[in-house]
Amino acid sequence: MLAEVPPSQASSGNKTRQRLNLHGDLHLNRALHTIARTRMMFDAATMEYVERRTAEGKSNTNIHRCFKQLFARQLFRKLGTLLT
């Protein structure tokens, strides 16, 4: 929630979709955005993730949002283990 990456409902008409939450730390969100963009271009595992999501029919914006959520969860877990 702090990084603005949890989804909130943004459905209209026949489409059901989610968008990023707009309440949180803008600087942290920008850092996650930069990390996600860089990993999507250069990290092999992330590129496989993008290919898999593209094959599922997801848009680039949706793939980017999903990856930011995934990366934020991974980062939060790693920080939690470092602090304990």
Side-chain angles (χ1 to χ4, degrees), residues 30-49:
R30 182 64 184 163
L32 284 174
H33 176 80
T34 304
I35 292 167
R37 296 282 303 205
T38 305
R39 285 185 61 176
M40 286 174 144
M41 288 188 291
F42 299 111
D43 184 43
T46 306
M47 286 190 279
E48 289 174 11
Y49 176 82

Side-chain angles (χ1 to χ4, degrees), residues 15-64:
K15 280 194 161 191
T16 56
R17 64 182 183 86
Q18 296 175 335
R19 65 179 171 87
L20 295 180
N21 189 352
L22 299 177
H23 306 287
D25 187 355
L26 293 175
H27 297 292
L28 179 56
N29 187 30
R30 182 64 184 163
L32 284 174
H33 176 80
T34 304
I35 292 167
R37 296 282 303 205
T38 305
R39 285 185 61 176
M40 286 174 144
M41 288 188 291
F42 299 111
D43 184 43
T46 306
M47 286 190 279
E48 289 174 11
Y49 176 82
V50 171
E51 288 174 13
R52 187 175 72 243
R53 291 297 221 163
T54 304
E56 292 175 2
K58 303 285 186 188
S59 67
N60 285 338
T61 305
N62 198 8
I63 294 169
H64 186 73

